[in-house]
Amino acid sequence: MKRTIPATLLIVTLVTALFLTGCQPPKPAALSNDQVVQVVDITLKAIKAGDYQSFTQDFSDVMKNTFTQEQFTGLADLLQNASGNFVSCADSQPALSNNQGYAVYRLACAYDLEKVIVTVTFKVDGDKIEGLFFDSTNLRKVSQ
């Protein structure tokens, strides 16, 4: 019986520590929420305009080196066909979470045909886009 009390205390202590760690607020990028929205807005306007240079201006070096102009054209065509033209993210406040040293922001952006959830990642305390992902009902249908 004495052995189960220390084991139980250890388990309770570990669970409490994990719970309290999970309650810490997520760590942001080096940008304010308004700046994140502005960066996403510039990026999405560049897609709409077919402007690869503007599209990649806020990308990290790794993103610039891996996201080719051909991939950009494919992304622009996919978004246009599935979701229509980009309208705005102005009414959206980004939701922030963390994942392995990255600040992950999700914004609901308006397109002609539907809302698109845009997920953009930055390194914690960073100011360059490290990842970009789009999700919507129509995009899921098209990609199946």
Side-chain angles (χ1 to χ4, degrees):
M1 189 75 161
K2 289 185 179 181
R3 288 184 146 194
T4 58
I5 292 173
T8 304
L9 276 170
L10 178 63
I11 291 171
V12 169
T13 303
L14 288 173
V15 169
T16 303
L18 288 173
F19 176 74
L20 292 175
T21 302
C23 293
Q24 294 177 351
K27 296 176 183 173
L31 306 172
S32 69
N33 282 353
D34 289 340
Q35 289 171 317
V36 169
V37 173
Q38 183 180 14
V39 166
V40 170
D41 192 62
I42 289 167
T43 303
L44 300 182
K45 284 179 181 175
I47 293 171
K48 180 180 175 181
D51 184 352
Y52 178 72
Q53 295 303 322
S54 293
F55 173 70
T56 59
Q57 76 181 7
D58 292 309
F59 280 15
S60 68
D61 289 339
V62 172
M63 282 286 288
K64 283 181 185 177
N65 291 332
T66 57
F67 209 105
T68 66
Q69 183 138 11
E70 292 77 26
Q71 290 171 320
F72 168 75
T73 302
L75 174 63
D77 290 344
L78 176 67
L79 284 168
Q80 174 64 39
N81 293 332
S83 305
N85 286 316
F86 169 67
V87 177
S88 173
C89 294
D91 296 334
S92 180
Q93 280 297 313
L96 172 62
S97 63
N98 288 139
N99 190 352
Q100 298 182 0
Y102 289 90
V104 180
Y105 294 89
R106 287 179 181 78
L107 289 98
C109 298
Y111 279 72
D112 287 336
L113 303 177
E114 65 179 346
K115 290 247 185 226
V116 175
I117 303 300
V118 178
T119 303
V120 62
T121 60
F122 300 86
K123 287 184 179 176
V124 170
D125 294 325
D127 63 352
K128 296 293 183 185
I129 294 174
E130 301 287 342
L132 184 63
F133 181 76
F134 299 86
D135 186 30
S136 73
T137 303
N138 291 347
L139 287 169
R140 287 181 189 181
K141 287 178 187 176
V142 170
S143 64
Q144 288 180 354

